[in-house]
Amino acid sequence: MHKFSIILAGSLRIILALAALTPMVAIGDAALLSGKAHAQGVIKSIEVVGNRRVEPETVRSYLQISPGEAYSASKVDASLKALFATGLFADVSIEPQGSSLIVTVRENPVVNQVAFEGNSEVDTPTLLAEVQLKQRSVFTRARAQADVQRILDVYRRQGRFAASVEPKIIELEQDRVNLVFEITEGGATKVKGINFVGNRAFSDSQLRDIISTTQTGWFDFLKGTSIYDPDRMSLDRELIRQFYLKNGYADAAVTSGNAELDPDGTGFIITFAVEEGELYNFGGVNIESALAEVPAEAYMGELLTQSGDIYNASLIDKTTEKLTLAIAETGYAFARVRPRAVPDLTSRTIAITYVVDEGPRIYIERINIIGNERTKDHVIRREFRLAEGDAFNPLMVDRAKKRLTALGLFKSADVKRRPGSAQDRVILDVELVEQSTGELSFGAGFSTSEGVIGDVSITERNLLGNGQFLRLKFAGSFQRQQVDLSFTEPRFLDQNLSAGFDLYHKQIDMRRQSGFRQRKSGGQLRLGFPLAENLWMQTFYGLSRDEIFDVEDRASLAIKQACGDANIGHPLNIDGDRNTNAEADCKNGAYWTSLAGTTLTYDKRNHPKNPTSGYYLQLNDEFAGLGGDVSYWRVEGEARGYYPITEKITFVGRVVGGHIQGWGGDDVKILDSYFKGGETVRGFERAGFGPRDLSTGDSLGGTTYWSATAEVRFPIPFIPDDLGISAAVFADAGSLWNVSGGAEDALSSCTTDGTVAGPACLSDENKIRASVGASLMWNSPVGPLRMDYAEVLSSANADKEQKFRFGASTKF
């Protein structure tokens, strides 16, 4: 009974609880029904709240719902997204209120000022140009973070991968903010090593000369090429590929270019993987024409590719362009030339057929130049062989793009095509990214002939945006001081002409070799132009003043006569200085030279700095007597050849010679004569062989010389190639003879003490001087250095020998 009472009481409590809950459920259902009824209601008005700068109508224009429409949650959501996407608002909410829709906004602040702190390696104007947030622009945190990334990209292009940027906001009144980017630049991350994998035909050092990136060295603060730059790596990959294509490796590819931080994190190690493929020669070369008006045989003379020559992709491009231009000049502007290559793997040859057909008839409506903030438009337009209104030719546009890149003024150059105002019109957009073209460089070293040597040069390759070259160089040593100013206009009169001038002043101390000092000051005007592929001609006019001074009392009679007085013989004073009265005796030792000349150069080397095959020819002639005080004709020639004995051993041959001859009754002046020594035939001193005064030992110079060199260059075993050290064995021969007539007359008779009368004391033997020896060469960070040790095999009695020679080398 008691148990039943408990159950009954519990049941009553449950019933009463359910009874109490029923009204609440009813109220909830009513509210839900009321909300649904509102959601399905009509919006009569839209109110904008919180706006200060933005007009209400501007806010309403972004809404996806309008008065008179039924409330829609999806449209409200789309409206929120549209308002946030404007970047004008920090916060937005949209809520219904009766028959109205309330849009509450909180505007983003306006940037009052943008500043940078901590930047020393990159100037503020550069960073301001990079960021998108400017003064009076609307601030958003997303834009600020995007600008942070842009600033980091600027520093990474300079190799500063440790740089960090923190944006700081200073709030001002009237919804304004100052934006400050706090920058920690960190150290520059440089390229510590550049390695190549898979290269057999060319050494690591040769390929390093081709690419634009350099390894870190002693004078990195003067140039930026040793700083790691991913964009430059992309360029380097293409430079390597083009170099192989130019030298016979048609299948060459750069499969990868990787940059990895070294273990201590102080620099990058760059590795390029190369697949060279086989060496190809040109097979048959023909022209096929689908145009009856363009006979193939009429254009065979335009071909630069010859059967049997080493394959060269650049010659195919140049031939294609040359044929296109030649055909266009005859009236077929829409003719198209396409090279067709057929490789023969068995014979390793590639047959080339140039197919001529008709391309689409499209005209150039406009050429837009974009991105040239410094370089003037005409510098860019002259690289196009096309102008507005001309027939559009894709090949010629592509060649223009390559010429722009080759100028070295731009980081990148791209030509984009878009439709014009009609179907047969096209607009070309030339998009450029400029790069720094100024350079300050200097070097120092030691030479056994001159002692400590050094030079400083300032170069600008885009003077005032005109694409012109200007260089000021100071060089000197204990024996020589020189200053040069050189200017070149590479496209004179917008033609394929190179014009320019040179001004110079140099002073050379020859007292140890000949008992005098000399100085030369003057200038030269020059004009150069191509005659054919690889053949360049330069004409020039020069005016200079030569002077011989500080003639020593012990100097040869011939030297004294050249100074203006054959009777100089003043003794030293009590202090050991030269008698100052002798200075007046040199008043006639100066003269003016006015000359014109021509230089022809033919270059078929496979590498501009470190060739292993090909040849180089040069012929130079000068004619003096166009006014001035001297009259002579000078001719000099040089031939160099390179032959690869193995992949790493190269034979080098060189022959050079020259002759100067007076005319109109004039003798050749001593200062215009040739002085030859260890730089021509190793094993001899500077001015160590040739005509000489036996009574004083002074070198008098000669009017005719020749020399020949045979050299074998090879790497040193067990020394890594990346150190740039190699060796060579050589054999030199040459001679210098035929003293000038004035010197010969002065020394026709003399005694051993230099007084007039007595036996002849002139040594002028046309005898072959010869030597053999070995060399050690180093492509050092400050330039190429070379040490030579030579043993003289043949010499004249009066010659002066020097077995060891050290100094900066000139590669040949």
Side-chain angles (χ1 to χ4, degrees):
M1 182 68 182
H2 178 69
K3 184 175 183 181
F4 174 78
S5 298
I6 293 174
I7 294 173
L8 178 61
S11 299
L12 288 172
R13 284 195 294 270
I14 293 172
I15 292 170
L16 290 174
L18 290 174
L21 184 61
T22 302
M24 296 180 63
V25 173
I27 293 171
D29 290 342
L32 183 61
L33 292 172
S34 175
K36 288 182 177 178
H38 182 279
Q40 294 173 354
V42 176
I43 301 299
K44 293 182 178 180
S45 65
I46 299 176
E47 296 183 21
V48 178
V49 180
N51 60 306
R52 302 182 64 178
R53 297 185 312 273
V54 183
E55 295 293 332
E57 286 304 319
T58 302
V59 177
R60 293 188 184 100
S61 68
Y62 289 100
L63 299 179
Q64 307 299 311
I65 190 170
S66 303
E69 295 182 11
Y71 179 89
S72 170
S74 62
K75 288 187 176 182
V76 169
D77 183 62
S79 298
L80 287 171
K81 292 178 179 178
L83 287 170
F84 275 115
T86 64
L88 299 173
F89 309 106
D91 191 20
V92 180
S93 64
I94 301 176
E95 297 178 353
Q97 194 175 81
S99 60
S100 298
L101 200 62
I102 308 301
V103 182
T104 304
V105 298
R106 181 162 60 89
E107 296 177 349
N108 277 317
V110 173
V111 177
N112 177 65
Q113 184 180 1
V114 178
F116 303 89
E117 293 182 358
N119 58 310
S120 60
E121 295 298 326
V122 181
D123 57 25
T124 297
T126 300
L127 295 176
L128 279 174
E130 194 71 26
V131 298
Q132 299 299 307
L133 282 173
K134 309 287 186 182
Q135 189 177 12
R136 293 188 296 276
S137 64
V138 177
F139 171 84
T140 68
R141 294 191 178 276
R143 288 180 179 177
Q145 289 301 320
D147 282 344
V148 166
Q149 188 58 48
R150 291 187 180 94
I151 296 171
L152 289 174
D153 288 342
V154 172
Y155 277 95
R156 285 171 181 170
R157 287 197 295 270
Q158 296 199 4
R160 296 182 178 272
F161 286 81
S164 62
V165 180
E166 184 69 25
K168 300 290 186 180
I169 301 171
I170 303 174
E171 295 185 359
L172 306 174
E173 58 185 9
Q174 298 178 349
D175 282 342
R176 295 177 303 138
V177 295
N178 284 343
L179 176 60
V180 180
F181 292 100
E182 296 183 353
I183 301 172
T184 303
E185 295 182 323
T189 311
K190 297 186 177 182
V191 177
K192 297 184 69 174
I194 303 176
N195 303 318
F196 299 87
V197 177
N199 54 310
R200 303 184 313 276
F202 299 99
S203 66
D204 285 10
S205 61
Q206 286 178 300
L207 295 180
R208 287 192 200 100
D209 286 336
I210 293 298
I211 62 178
S212 60
T213 304
T214 60
Q215 297 180 144
T216 183
W218 295 346
F219 300 106
D220 289 344
F221 62 93
L222 296 176
K223 57 184 180 179
T225 54
S226 63
I227 297 174
Y228 172 66
D229 185 348
D231 294 336
R232 192 184 295 124
M233 274 193 64
S234 300
L235 171 63
D236 290 342
R237 291 182 63 171
E238 181 61 18
L239 290 175
I240 296 169
R241 190 182 75 88
Q242 292 294 337
F243 177 70
Y244 271 99
L245 292 177
K246 183 180 177 181
N247 287 281
Y249 294 88
D251 300 327
V254 183
T255 57
S256 67
N258 298 320
E260 297 180 355
L261 276 171
D262 61 354
D264 58 7
T266 59
F268 280 94
I269 305 296
I270 295 177
T271 303
F272 293 100
V274 180
E275 289 184 0
E276 292 182 336
E278 298 292 337
L279 178 66
Y280 286 86
N281 290 351
F282 282 118
V285 181
N286 297 295
I287 300 175
E288 288 184 4
S289 177
L291 304 177
E293 303 86 353
V294 183
E297 59 275 5
Y299 296 93
M300 294 298 292
E302 304 291 335
L303 299 180
L304 301 175
T305 51
Q306 303 295 327
S307 179
D309 287 354
I310 293 177
Y311 176 84
N312 186 333
S314 67
L315 290 183
I316 298 177
D317 293 341
K318 292 177 181 178
T319 300
T320 303
E321 181 179 4
K322 192 175 181 182
L323 285 172
T324 301
L325 291 173
I327 296 171
E329 288 174 355
T330 60
Y332 301 97
F334 296 100
R336 180 174 57 184
V337 180
R338 293 175 296 168
R340 185 176 65 210
V342 180
D344 186 336
L345 300 180
T346 304
S347 61
R348 290 209 294 272
T349 60
I350 298 178
I352 305 296
T353 302
Y354 298 95
V355 180
V356 183
D357 58 12
E358 188 171 9
R361 293 181 173 270
I362 301 176
Y363 296 89
I364 298 174
E365 180 177 331
R366 191 167 63 253
I367 300 177
N368 298 323
I369 311 296
I370 304 169
N372 57 320
E373 296 180 2
R374 184 185 179 198
T375 308
K376 296 179 180 177
D377 274 15
H378 78 273
V379 175
I380 300 160
R381 292 182 182 275
R382 69 191 181 190
E383 299 303 323
F384 286 78
R385 304 295 186 260
L386 300 167
E388 282 90 345
D390 288 350
F392 172 72
N393 190 306
L395 169 70
M396 297 178 69
V397 172
D398 183 62
R399 297 296 178 270
K401 174 183 173 182
K402 292 182 177 180
R403 283 191 290 268
L404 286 173
T405 303
L407 289 177
L409 308 181
F410 309 105
K411 283 186 177 180
S412 63
D414 195 14
V415 182
K416 294 183 177 179
R417 169 187 174 184
R418 57 188 175 93
S421 59
Q423 290 186 348
D424 62 345
R425 296 290 187 270
V426 65
I427 296 174
L428 301 179
D429 292 329
V430 184
E431 299 180 355
L432 305 167
V433 178
E434 293 182 318
Q435 66 178 358
S436 175
T437 56
E439 180 180 322
L440 169 66
S441 63
F442 66 86
F446 181 82
S447 168
T448 51
S449 61
E450 297 189 36
V452 177
I453 57 177
D455 65 80
V456 179
S457 66
I458 304 172
T459 304
E460 173 56 62
R461 293 180 285 110
N462 190 14
L463 183 65
L464 301 178
N466 291 312
Q468 298 162 336
F469 175 91
L470 180 68
R471 181 177 65 192
L472 177 63
K473 182 176 182 179
F474 301 90
S477 67
F478 292 139
Q479 307 294 324
R480 172 180 54 87
Q481 297 82 44
Q482 183 170 346
V483 58
D484 298 276
L485 177 66
S486 179
F487 171 83
T488 301
E489 167 57 73
R491 291 288 188 273
F492 184 58
L493 301 177
D494 284 340
Q495 303 295 318
N496 195 14
L497 301 172
S498 173
F501 66 84
D502 304 290
L503 300 175
Y504 55 85
H505 172 79
K506 58 184 176 181
Q507 184 168 300
I508 303 175
D509 190 343
M510 296 283 291
R511 286 177 294 185
R512 190 171 68 85
Q513 295 81 15
S514 300
F516 67 88
R517 293 204 295 171
Q518 69 176 93
R519 66 170 62 100
K520 187 181 186 74
S521 304
Q524 178 178 270
L525 298 173
R526 45 187 164 75
L527 180 68
F529 48 90
L531 295 178
E533 184 66 23
N534 302 316
L535 179 62
W536 182 264
M537 180 176 182
Q538 180 168 283
T539 59
F540 55 89
Y541 169 78
L543 179 66
S544 63
R545 179 175 174 82
D546 293 82
E547 184 178 359
I548 182 171
F549 65 103
D550 278 357
V551 176
E552 296 189 344
D553 295 315
R554 61 92 183 162
S556 165
L557 290 174
I559 303 297
K560 294 175 181 178
Q561 186 183 64
C563 192
D565 192 335
N567 298 315
I568 295 178
H570 301 284
L572 300 177
N573 62 27
I574 193 170
D575 297 323
D577 298 327
R578 192 171 65 83
N579 191 321
T580 55
N581 291 332
E583 187 70 30
D585 295 326
C586 284
K587 63 182 181 299
N588 298 321
Y591 57 91
W592 288 92
T593 301
S594 174
L595 61 83
T598 303
T599 300
L600 285 172
T601 304
Y602 188 72
D603 193 348
K604 286 282 288 182
R605 294 174 296 176
N606 68 335
H607 193 283
K609 295 181 180 179
N610 195 10
T612 56
S613 66
Y615 54 92
Y616 174 93
L617 305 173
Q618 187 173 81
L619 179 65
N620 180 78
D621 72 281
E622 299 175 355
F623 184 82
L626 307 175
D629 302 319
V630 295
S631 301
Y632 65 77
W633 175 68
R634 185 198 304 267
V635 61
E636 292 181 277
E638 180 179 8
R640 311 178 206 164
Y642 306 84
Y643 180 79
I645 299 175
T646 68
E647 291 181 357
K648 295 186 176 182
I649 301 177
T650 304
F651 172 80
V652 182
R654 181 193 189 203
V655 177
V656 61
H659 176 73
I660 182 171
Q661 178 69 50
W663 65 275
D666 282 2
D667 288 326
V668 176
K669 301 281 188 180
I670 283 183
L671 295 185
D672 294 322
S673 300
Y674 298 108
F675 288 83
K676 298 297 179 182
E679 79 286 349
T680 305
V681 178
R682 282 161 284 193
F684 293 88
E685 287 188 4
R686 178 186 177 195
F689 65 86
R692 191 175 302 277
D693 184 346
L694 295 176
S695 65
T696 63
D698 287 342
S699 175
L700 303 175
T703 60
T704 306
Y705 81 96
W706 67 270
S707 70
T709 293
E711 184 171 283
V712 177
R713 298 174 181 172
F714 52 89
I716 301 177
F718 309 113
I719 294 183
D721 291 341
D722 57 6
L723 293 180
I725 299 177
S726 60
V729 293
F730 62 83
D732 291 344
S735 186
L736 170 66
W737 71 98
N738 196 14
V739 71
S740 64
E744 186 175 14
D745 292 341
L747 299 178
S748 59
S749 62
C750 66
T751 63
T752 54
D753 62 1
T755 58
V756 178
C761 56
L762 172 65
S763 172
D764 188 5
E765 300 181 53
N766 181 10
K767 182 175 182 179
I768 295 177
R769 280 77 168 180
S771 65
V772 294
S775 303
L776 186 65
M777 297 168 287
W778 179 33
N779 286 325
S780 73
V782 296
L785 300 177
R786 180 168 185 146
M787 293 181 288
D788 298 314
Y789 178 83
E791 286 286 345
V792 174
L793 302 180
S794 174
S795 64
N797 292 331
D799 293 344
K800 296 184 178 181
E801 299 179 6
Q802 182 184 67
K803 293 185 177 183
F804 179 76
R805 182 179 177 86
F806 170 80
S809 68
T810 299
K811 292 187 176 182
F812 60 84

